[in-house]
Amino acid sequence: MSVRRASAFAPGSVGNVAIGFDILGFAVDAVGDRVSIERVRRPGVTISAVRGIAGELPRDPAQNTAGRALLAMHEALGLDFGLNLEIDKGIPLGSGLGGSAASAVAAVVAANALLGSPRPKLELLKFAMQGEAVSSGSLHVDNISPSLFGGLVLTVGIDHPRVKQIPVPGEVRAVIVHPHMVLSTREARAILKRSVEMSDFVWQTANLAGFISGCYTNDLDMIRACFEDVVIEPQRQALIPGFAAVRAAAISSGALGCSISGAGPTMFAWCLEHEAQRVCSEMIREFGRGGVEVDHWVVPVESQGARVIETA
Ligand code: HSE
């Protein structure tokens, strides 16, 4: 019997991971969005409800990340039935935790469960990318890929994306600290310079290569040495009150590295499991010194990614 209704959960994510601007990200299972989709007779895509912590999102499917992803999927697959969706937002808007990507991913994963012949994740990725573009104004995959696949994910290419899940040393934990403020990804992208100094290009390339090789070879010293964004972070840090003090507190408490989650304002650190609580407390304390309230999580980097949680 065919599935009439399906719900999927997609986790939030930390984009860029300091050194992989627009191409590297990891999933954060502790937060996420849920999308429920019902098969309806009339072809097309409709949104009947947006609930949760970002209920003011547009209900016009073309203006909504989940809606746009489904429009792309509906058209590409030539579906002869319609899709009505309900969105439950668990990720704050403008937090830098990949909320728009999670909605788009949850939507395509739920819709996939309604198909007689489900599509592979790589194809779903392309549909979800169309949704992400609605909110940020650009096609980038560093949130979509980890939200869909789980764990630390490198994505190479846009038209024909190649996705690689990268192993992370087992004792690494991610500390996520979300200050209660909103930063638009679109604006945080608009301030970036269009060109990069040759010396910074070399440094950043070395850091990305070293970081990924450190992950594959369990080399924590290499990961620590390479955990520095010399291109994007210097331009964006002024957008986050207390950034320098929070980062310094994380590093002096033993973190392997600390940077901006995606476009911000959330900050994240990687650290060893036994140091994670201390790093987290110090980051919270520094935000607090500036009068900034936060939410915080300590999570493993490995995770399952988006999944169907209910079908009927
Ligand atoms: N990689 C993008 C950026 C999106 O930093 O602008 C992050 O969520």
Side-chain angles (χ1 to χ4, degrees), residues 69-172:
L70 287 186
L71 286 169
M73 185 172 182
H74 196 278
E75 187 184 327
L77 302 182
L79 302 182
D80 62 359
F81 56 89
L83 302 167
N84 178 58
L85 59 155
E86 297 179 15
I87 304 168
D88 287 284
K89 290 292 297 179
I91 304 174
L93 286 184
S95 61
L97 283 168
S100 49
S103 291
V105 168
V108 296
V109 168
N112 204 35
L114 302 181
L115 305 180
S117 312
R119 312 305 306 172
K121 277 191 177 178
L122 214 45
E123 201 173 330
L124 300 183
L125 176 75
K126 294 187 193 173
F127 302 139
M129 275 164 59
Q130 301 299 324
E132 169 77 306
V134 177
S135 74
S136 70
S138 67
L139 282 172
H140 57 88
V141 287
D142 52 328
N143 293 112
I144 293 281
S145 289
S147 182
L148 181 59
F149 288 86
L152 176 66
V153 182
L154 172 72
T155 312
V156 177
I158 293 285
D159 293 336
H160 303 288
R162 287 174 170 79
V163 170
K164 196 61 103 176
Q165 288 174 285
I166 298 171
V168 175
E171 63 267 53
V172 169

Side-chain angles (χ1 to χ4, degrees), residues 172-296:
V172 169
R173 295 291 175 272
V175 173
I176 316 284
V177 182
H178 165 231
H180 291 178
M181 57 175 280
V182 172
L183 196 53
S184 130
T185 299
R186 204 179 277 266
E187 283 169 33
R189 293 180 80 82
I191 64 158
L192 299 176
K193 287 186 272 190
R194 300 290 113 186
S195 56
V196 176
E197 286 289 330
M198 180 66 88
S199 56
D200 287 342
F201 168 75
V202 173
W203 193 354
Q204 191 89 342
T205 308
N207 281 351
L208 177 59
F211 183 88
I212 289 177
S213 74
C215 285
Y216 272 105
T217 57
N218 242 336
D219 185 342
L220 293 169
D221 179 59
M222 180 67 115
I223 292 173
R224 188 190 296 276
C226 296
F227 216 124
E228 188 178 2
D229 170 9
V230 298
V231 174
I232 306 296
E233 185 184 294
Q235 301 180 62
R236 281 182 170 168
Q237 58 176 273
L239 302 174
I240 304 173
F243 173 88
V246 174
R247 183 176 186 277
I251 300 296
S252 64
S253 315
L256 295 165
C258 174
S259 187
I260 304 169
S261 173
T266 294
M267 291 179 65
F268 79 100
W270 272 21
C271 32
L272 299 183
E273 187 175 10
H274 69 277
E275 290 172 334
Q277 289 304 338
R278 182 156 47 102
V279 169
C280 187
S281 304
E282 291 301 315
M283 291 173 73
I284 294 168
R285 192 205 310 263
E286 286 304 328
F287 268 124
R289 275 191 219 277
V292 180
E293 289 185 21
V294 300
D295 301 313
H296 59 93

Side-chain angles (χ1 to χ4, degrees), residues 47 49-50 54-67 87 93 134:
I47 300 175
V50 184
E56 69 280 15
L57 285 173
R59 311 230 167 163
D60 171 3
Q63 303 301 322
N64 179 292
T65 59
I87 304 168
L93 286 184
V134 177

